[in-house]
Amino acid sequence: MQKKGLVIINTGEGKGKTTAAFGLALRAAGHNRKVLILQFIKGPWVSGEIKAASYIPQIEVKQLGSGFIPLKQGKPVLSDKLREEAGRSIHYTRQMVESGKYDVVILDEINNMVDYGLISPETVAEIIEEKPRDVVLVLTGRNAHPRIVELADTVTDMKQVKHAFENGIKAIKGIEY
Ligand code: ATP
Ligand code: MG
């Protein structure tokens, strides 16, 4: 019998949340599992992992909304447009999780969306509680909400010990994106 699909969270300040989720996608694809990666927030660059994932037939990647959330002194500058997009994105996410088409669904940076107040923790909790039993959900991003942490099976808090950025080393292609 197929085991219960776990809910996995990669959170914390340290580097490695998204790349660990893509590592899991690679692992699942290697066992011929169908993987969907939904990107809630994207950076200014085309990231290598998205490109590489597109070469793997078992992995589908989709960017939701316009992707970019402007920050002012670390705080998101919210707009009606971002709220509408977030509403549509979460609706789509629910449809995809329930579709039965995917064994693993990765919600990249969804924790930030909840943290910014663009998606309610209750909505994410509902998706987790109502998902098909076997579907594995992976949620990444900083400041995972306690309500969602409570529902998850495996939660990793990436702890930053050092980051090259602090020494003035700017984002490196192939390492940071
Ligand atoms: P990665 O994508 O490398 O797994 P992440 O998902 O843990 O990192 P995010 O918070 O999503 O990190 O940050 C996105 C981008 O910022 C990535 O390019 C990441 O490498 C980089 N980054 C992560 N942590 C830091 C940090 N403490 N200082 C500066 N840049 C960081
Ligand atoms: Mg990330």
Side-chain angles (χ1 to χ4, degrees):
M1 196 185 79
Q2 171 88 26
K3 292 206 176 69
K4 171 187 174 278
L6 299 181
V7 176
I8 299 171
I9 297 180
N10 298 342
T11 191
E13 299 294 312
K15 175 174 165 63
K17 299 173 287 293
T18 295
T19 44
F22 273 76
L24 189 141
L26 194 61
R27 180 174 280 171
H31 291 291
N32 213 22
R33 302 277 195 274
K34 284 281 286 171
V35 182
L36 175 66
I37 302 174
L38 298 175
Q39 254 199 314
F40 282 83
I41 301 174
K42 81 173 187 78
W45 307 286
V46 177
S47 49
E49 68 271 22
I50 302 290
K51 246 179 135 173
S54 75
Y55 306 147
I56 300 171
Q58 288 85 354
I59 304 179
E60 259 179 64
V61 187
K62 194 172 162 65
Q63 193 207 309
L64 301 172
S66 50
F68 185 71
I69 298 184
L71 297 178
K72 203 172 171 186
Q73 279 143 16
K75 293 215 168 86
V77 184
L78 302 181
S79 61
D80 287 346
K81 179 173 172 270
L82 282 176
R83 288 194 186 86
E84 278 162 30
E85 280 180 0
R88 276 199 296 275
S89 299
I90 200 70
H91 179 71
Y92 180 78
T93 300
R94 191 190 286 257
Q95 283 182 327
M96 289 303 104
V97 171
E98 289 174 359
S99 70
K101 277 163 56 184
Y102 305 99
D103 302 298
V104 179
V105 181
I106 294 173
L107 308 177
D108 189 36
E109 314 299 347
I110 193 169
N111 296 334
N112 305 61
M113 295 291 282
V114 173
D115 188 43
Y116 295 162
L118 284 167
I119 294 176
S120 78
E122 290 76 24
T123 309
V124 179
E126 267 174 34
I127 292 177
I128 292 173
E129 283 166 341
E130 291 166 16
K131 76 173 179 66
R133 188 177 182 277
D134 298 342
V135 173
V136 174
L137 277 186
V138 184
L139 297 87
T140 88
R142 288 163 196 230
N143 304 321
H145 193 280
R147 169 91 183 94
I148 303 168
V149 167
E150 193 185 298
L151 292 174
D153 299 286
T154 298
V155 180
T156 304
D157 192 352
M158 310 275 177
K159 181 179 181 299
Q160 179 167 309
V161 178
K162 279 186 178 185
H163 195 291
F165 187 75
E166 293 167 343
N167 278 331
I169 300 171
K170 297 247 161 64
I172 301 168
K173 191 175 184 173
I175 304 286
E176 246 66 64
Y177 63 95

